[in-house]
Amino acid sequence: MKSDSVKKGIEKAPHRSLFKALGLTDEEISRPLVGVINSANEIIPGHIHLNTVTEAVKSGIRMAGGTPIEFGCIGVCDGIAMNHIGMKYSLASRELIADSVEVMATAHAFDALVAVTACDKITPGMMMALIRMDLPSIVVNGGPMLPGKLGGRSLDLIDVFEAVGQVKTGKMNECELNALEDAACPGCGSCAGMFTANSMACLTEALGMALPGNGTAPAVSAERVRLARRSGIAVMELLKRDIRPSAIINEKSFANALAVDMALGCSTNTVLHVLALAQEAGAKVTMKTIDAVGARVPNLCRLRPGGTHYLFELHEAGGVHAVMNELAKAGALQLDVVTATGKKLSANIKNAKVLDRNVIRPITEPHTPTGGLTVLWGNLAPEGCVVKSSAVAPSMMKRRGRARVFDSEETAYDAILGGKIKPGDVVVIRYEGPKGGPGMREMLSPTSAVVGMGLGEEVSLITDGRFSGGTRGAAFGHVSPEAASGGPIALVREGDTISYDIPAKKISLEVPAAELKKRAAKFKPPAKKIKTGYLGRYADIVQSAHLGAVLKQP
């Protein structure tokens, strides 16, 4: 066992003395030591119940003959961090989480790991670490929040964001807004739609790093606790059989995860995280890989914000494994991959059934023949950009409009709320990329304001930053190269014409090449927005969004 390096032999008597200071007995010390990473805190709704989930995991480990040892990690609530400087730290926190888990797992010689996680950057950050450490591991998510209720209407956080624009246009008063904010988020769990947190929980299950039900069982359910206990038992079986992430995660399992991504219509942020995970695993996954999967896999589900269904409804309809069973009928999955159950995917999905065809369409009757995400290319985004096409109105799938150019989220948001954006405008928000932001802010406030003000089928948004998993409408993010690196988005001027065609996967700045060359010759990189602290260092070493916004390696 790896932990023998800190507990076996007379030379390790001092180490054992420290374990005994924790209250551990000789019997507990002699067993496999399993690190349980608990990301619980009191600021993220998706994490406030994770102590309960973690205790269930630890119970399962003990039942199976291991000794669980809990430690924590940081987490950012994207909703609370939204639309101020705090959001610059959200994506950047992913790298800190991965590094901190590596530090703890290596320094204390754990034999196996369980990641108890929830929410946007915590899940991929922990996954990056599990791949890097390559110890027998399993992921346990905290589960989705239930939707709120008000006057018989189901609600989630996005309703509150969009209501701000409605108040600004007089469609709602502040008293109604207050009632909405009281009701929209009824308790613990990741926000109730197919936003980034739940997208990553579902993809973790699809990758094979979590047990069936991980992505969809509600946070408040006893099923979530039972799943956590079974996960504790399962990690001990993985340890016994020496099944590590390197045996589970590869090009085949990434292809499966991307197929599920397209079928579900997940967050555009999954593109960043899948690319980052693939780099950790040494797997060949690129923007072109994602584009190719999207072209062959149909969209079977329309979940919030691309539809009306919530995560609990996907769970009741059969969950991720039922979706995978449906995809398997069309040969869209690699069924011979190993999973955290210790079995191959074919065995896991064999008995999974679709229980509600309103939520999960048959493979023969999809919403669209292509996936829920679309990668676009063109002279505005030579290295690609991404849109959640399943959340775009049919009337907005192809457009041509006047560029309204802003060099920050704040100036764009003020212009939208100030009524300065008109139907047909294409809002360009730049210098918000990984390097230029720094931190590639997620911009739910501007997109929600556009929808709330009744412009959702009239105005498009384009950015080298990110849009939320809760964003709906023609919002194109991750434009690469970013403005701070001299990408073409830095050359756009107020009044230029921008066109896009989502079905054709094209996005263009309609300016002659000779003119763009002149503009490029005059371009000067802007000064760093933040020069000190973590973000100052991050801006110096972060790579492009088309590479997953990972840090440069030495």
Side-chain angles (χ1 to χ4, degrees), residues 252-277:
K252 287 184 177 181
S253 57
F254 277 118
N256 289 344
L258 287 170
V260 170
D261 196 339
M262 297 300 171
L264 291 176
C266 291
S267 164
T268 53
N269 285 311
T270 58
V271 172
L272 283 175
H273 300 321
V274 166
L275 291 170
L277 294 173

Side-chain angles (χ1 to χ4, degrees), residues 116-137:
V116 181
T117 176
C119 298
D120 299 42
K121 310 309 165 297
I122 298 89
T123 297
M126 286 196 182
M127 286 276 286
M128 288 167 69
L130 299 186
I131 294 169
R132 188 183 304 171
M133 298 307 301
D134 202 29
L135 297 170
S137 303

Side-chain angles (χ1 to χ4, degrees), residues 4 21 52 93 113 122 128 185 235 263 283 293 305 307 321 324 332 346 353 419 499 508 519 522:
D4 285 347
T52 298
S93 73
L113 295 169
I122 298 89
M128 288 167 69
C185 299
V235 79
V293 174
H321 273 58
M324 296 182 86
S346 55
K353 296 179 180 179
S499 63
S508 301
R519 295 182 189 181
K522 296 178 181 178

Side-chain angles (χ1 to χ4, degrees), residues 447-525:
T447 57
S448 296
V450 165
V451 173
M453 297 182 76
L455 296 170
E457 295 189 24
E458 298 289 346
V459 170
S460 311
L461 297 98
I462 297 173
T463 185
D464 54 5
R466 301 180 295 125
F467 290 120
S468 165
T471 289
R472 58 190 175 112
F476 304 84
H478 311 191
V479 170
S480 301
E482 64 175 290
S485 297
I489 193 172
L491 308 180
V492 183
R493 291 181 180 173
E494 185 80 8
D496 283 349
T497 298
I498 293 174
S499 63
Y500 66 82
D501 186 332
I502 294 175
K505 303 179 182 180
K506 294 180 180 179
I507 188 164
S508 301
L509 173 59
E510 295 185 1
V511 174
E515 171 62 19
L516 289 178
K517 188 175 181 179
K518 289 180 183 178
R519 295 182 189 181
K522 296 178 181 178
F523 173 76
K524 292 182 180 180

Side-chain angles (χ1 to χ4, degrees), residues 51-219:
N51 286 331
T52 298
V53 176
T54 298
E55 285 304 315
V57 168
K58 290 158 69 175
S59 172
I61 292 169
R62 292 189 186 100
M63 288 166 64
T67 297
I69 299 179
E70 178 185 335
F71 63 93
C73 81
I74 64 168
V76 171
C77 177
D78 277 21
I80 295 174
M82 198 72 66
N83 195 228
H84 64 96
I85 191 173
M87 180 47 73
K88 293 177 183 285
Y89 288 84
S90 177
L91 180 60
S93 73
R94 184 187 68 182
E95 319 305 313
L96 281 176
I97 290 164
D99 289 349
S100 67
V101 173
E102 175 192 351
V103 168
M104 290 294 290
T106 305
H108 302 107
F110 291 118
D111 297 302
L113 295 169
V114 180
V116 181
T117 176
C119 298
D120 299 42
K121 310 309 165 297
I122 298 89
T123 297
M126 286 196 182
M127 286 276 286
M128 288 167 69
L130 299 186
I131 294 169
R132 188 183 304 171
M133 298 307 301
D134 202 29
L135 297 170
S137 303
I138 198 166
V139 178
V140 183
N141 279 85
M145 185 185 293
L146 295 177
K149 291 282 187 179
L150 183 63
R153 174 190 169 200
S154 294
L155 304 167
D156 59 36
L157 180 66
I158 307 309
D159 291 292
V160 187
F161 270 97
E162 293 179 358
V164 174
Q166 294 175 41
V167 172
K168 290 289 185 179
T169 57
K171 297 176 183 177
M172 179 182 289
N173 61 45
E174 290 190 35
C175 182
E176 291 170 322
L177 176 63
N178 183 256
L180 190 68
E181 70 180 67
D182 284 350
C185 299
C188 67
S190 303
C191 296
M194 188 55 82
F195 314 140
T196 304
N198 292 323
S199 293
M200 286 309 301
C202 289
L203 294 198
T204 301
E205 185 178 334
L207 269 171
M209 284 294 291
L211 297 185
N214 177 75
T216 56

